[in-house]
Amino acid sequence: MTSFIGGGGPRFWFSIAPEATQTNYAQVIVQVRDKEATPKLIGPLQDELNKQVPGAWITVRQLQTNPVETPVEVLITGQADTDPRTESEDIRSLRAIASQAMDIVRQSPGISVLRDDWSPDSRR
């Protein structure tokens, strides 16, 4: 097992992206002796980590040198409006659209991790 706490490790594998230094980020890489065991471990490990570490974004996946599985990312953006009077409304609209998109994607077979990158509402 290798861990990178406070940021990601160096870019050495296609499916592990380096991350800038962040106190709220870590990568843990687990090496198994039998590569055939890895796909069988992903689901149970993801489920257990989700239960044991509430509130954290945890993604369990197999390292790949020649990726055959491609994660899907949906980017939803609004117009860059600098008028602070409409900013709150824009954010509410984007969150609503993102929620609808997630509801649609959630119904697809094979979805293992689904999340958005919005933090909870705050004054900051």
Side-chain angles (χ1 to χ4, degrees):
M1 180 165 51
T2 303
S3 61
F4 300 98
I5 310 300
R11 183 162 187 78
F12 63 91
W13 221 285
F14 181 81
S15 57
I16 295 292
E19 291 287 333
T21 301
Q22 304 175 60
T23 57
N24 65 345
Y25 184 87
Q27 283 181 344
V28 178
I29 300 170
V30 178
Q31 182 177 351
V32 297
R33 294 183 200 275
D34 178 4
K35 69 178 184 176
E36 303 302 323
T38 303
K40 297 172 191 165
L41 291 172
I42 292 173
L45 190 54
Q46 180 77 57
D47 292 342
E48 193 60 30
L49 287 169
N50 288 343
K51 285 186 234 171
Q52 296 295 324
V53 190
W57 285 1
I58 298 174
T59 304
V60 179
R61 64 177 179 229
Q62 183 171 351
L63 290 176
Q64 300 174 4
T65 53
N66 296 311
V68 292
E69 296 178 39
T70 305
V72 174
E73 179 176 307
V74 178
L75 177 63
I76 299 172
T77 63
Q79 296 295 323
D81 190 355
T82 57
D83 185 350
R85 294 174 295 183
T86 61
E87 183 179 14
S88 294
E89 185 178 334
D90 275 352
I91 290 171
R92 280 193 302 275
S93 295
L94 286 171
R95 284 182 185 255
I97 293 167
S99 179
Q100 291 171 357
M102 289 177 72
D103 289 344
I104 293 167
V105 173
R106 189 175 285 111
Q107 296 173 30
S108 301
I111 298 298
S112 59
V113 176
L114 181 63
R115 64 177 176 232
D116 63 25
D117 65 356
W118 287 95
S119 298
D121 284 333
S122 71
R123 293 178 186 251
R124 203 172 83 179

